[in-house]
C-alpha cells in the first residue's frame, strides 16, 4: 500500500473519532453538511473513499483544517507540532497522530455556569488531573479529584467532567475503543531475604 493509500485508508477512523469527540451523531452531521447518513457511515467504515467533495463540508462542520482531518503527513520539518484547538468550553491538544487505537489528549477545561449534562458513547477513558480540581460525574457518583489523581471508566456509563470550582482544570485524557483499557504496571515486588 502506498503512502497516499495509507493516508486515505486512515481517513474513516479519523472522521469517526473527531465526530465522537464532539458528541455529534451521524444524523446531526448529515443535517450540518448535507451529506447523507449512509454516505457518512460508509466513509467512516472505509466503505466509501474520501473525496474533496465530502471532506470540505466535513472540515467546515468540524472547524478543522483539511490536512488535519485527512492526516496528511507534514513535509520538510520533522518536528511534531501539537496544534491546540478549541472545542466548546475546552482547549484540546491531541498528543497522538495515528487514527484508531488509543488516543491521548491534553485538555484545559474552562468553568461554566450550566448544569452538567452526562452523556454516553462507546469507548473507555482514563483521566489524570494535571492541575486544578476536576469534577467527575459517573452514573450516580459525583467525585472531586485533585492534581495527581486518576480515574478510569467505561464511557457507556453516563458521564461528565469539568472544573470542580470557578478555575480551569488541566487534564490528560487517554481514550480507547470499547474493550481497550489502560494497563498500569505495579511496583516490582522486592525479593525475600533468606533467614
Amino acid at each position: 500500500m502506498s503512502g497516499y493509500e495509507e493516508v486515505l485508508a486512515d481517513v474513516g477512523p479519523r472522521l469517526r473519532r473527531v465526530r465522537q469527540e464532539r458528541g455529534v451523531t451521524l444524523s446531526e452531521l448529515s443535517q450540518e453538511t448535507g451529506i447523507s447518513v449512509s454516505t457518512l457511515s460508509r466513509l467512516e467504515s472505509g466503505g466509501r473513499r474520501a473525496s474533496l467533495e465530502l471532506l470540505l463540508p466535513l472540515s467546515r462542520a468540524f472547524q478543522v483544517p483539511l490536512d488535519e482531518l485527512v492526516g496528511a503527513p507534514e513535509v520538510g520539518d520533522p518536528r511534531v507540532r501539537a496544534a491546540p484547538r478549541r472545542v466548546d468550553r475546552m482547549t484540546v491538544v491531541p498528543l497522538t497522530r495515528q487514527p484508531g487505537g488509543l488516543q491521548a489528549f491534553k485538555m484545559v477545561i474552562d468553568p461554566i455556569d450550566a448544569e452538567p449534562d452526562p452523556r454516553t458513547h462507546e469507548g473507555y477513558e482514563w483521566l489524570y488531573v494535571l492541575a486544578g480540581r476536576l469534577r467527575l460525574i459517573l452514573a450516580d457518583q459525583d467525585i472531586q479529584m485533585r492534581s495527581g489523581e486518576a480515574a478510569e471508566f467505561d464511557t457507556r456509563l453516563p458521564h461528565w467532567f469539568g472544573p470542580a470550582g470557578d478555575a480551569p482544570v488541566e487534564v490528560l485524557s487517554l481514550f480507547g475503543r470499547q474493550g481497550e483499557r489502560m494497563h498500569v504496571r505495579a511496583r516490582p515486588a522486592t525479593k525475600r531475604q533468606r533467614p
Side-chain angles (χ1 to χ4, degrees):
M1 185 181 282
S2 74
Y4 293 119
E5 288 171 338
E6 285 179 25
V7 167
L8 288 174
D10 291 341
V11 169
R14 182 176 285 107
L15 290 172
R16 179 180 291 118
R17 187 190 78 236
V18 170
R19 179 177 60 78
Q20 290 174 342
E21 283 172 8
R22 286 163 170 73
V24 176
T25 67
L26 285 172
S27 297
E28 291 167 338
L29 187 57
S30 175
Q31 289 175 354
E32 175 78 20
T33 62
I35 301 169
S36 72
V37 171
S38 64
T39 298
L40 290 170
S41 178
R42 288 191 347 257
L43 187 60
E44 286 186 358
S45 67
R48 170 96 186 235
R49 193 163 193 167
S51 67
L52 276 177
E53 178 184 334
L54 296 172
L55 292 174
L56 287 174
L58 291 169
S59 175
R60 276 193 299 270
F62 291 136
Q63 297 181 349
V64 173
L66 189 58
D67 60 341
E68 185 179 325
L69 194 61
V70 173
E74 291 183 24
V75 179
D77 192 341
R79 292 175 291 181
V80 174
R81 291 195 164 93
R85 63 179 183 259
R86 192 77 184 157
V87 180
D88 295 327
R89 69 191 202 299
M90 66 181 97
T91 301
V92 178
V93 181
L95 302 176
T96 48
R97 296 179 55 104
Q98 299 300 318
L102 202 58
Q103 300 294 312
F105 304 94
K106 179 181 176 186
M107 298 183 286
V108 179
I109 309 169
D110 297 329
I112 56 168
D113 291 331
E115 283 296 310
D117 182 20
R119 306 234 171 155
T120 63
H121 53 88
E122 288 294 315
Y124 202 84
E125 189 150 9
W126 183 86
L127 298 173
Y128 180 82
V129 182
L130 295 167
R133 290 183 307 126
L134 179 79
R135 180 180 181 197
L136 171 63
I137 297 175
L138 183 60
D140 60 352
Q141 299 178 62
D142 194 336
I143 304 162
Q144 297 225 359
M145 299 169 56
R146 298 186 182 281
S147 177
E149 292 186 311
E152 62 178 309
F153 55 92
D154 185 327
T155 58
R156 291 178 298 183
L157 293 172
H159 63 282
W160 176 94
F161 54 87
D166 56 1
V169 63
E170 197 170 325
V171 177
L172 179 64
S173 167
L174 298 177
F175 178 80
R177 294 185 301 264
Q178 199 59 46
E180 288 185 325
R181 297 184 65 156
M182 305 306 112
H183 298 285
V184 180
R185 189 173 293 232
R187 197 174 358 187
T190 57
K191 293 183 179 181
R192 290 186 183 176
Q193 299 289 332
R194 288 189 177 185

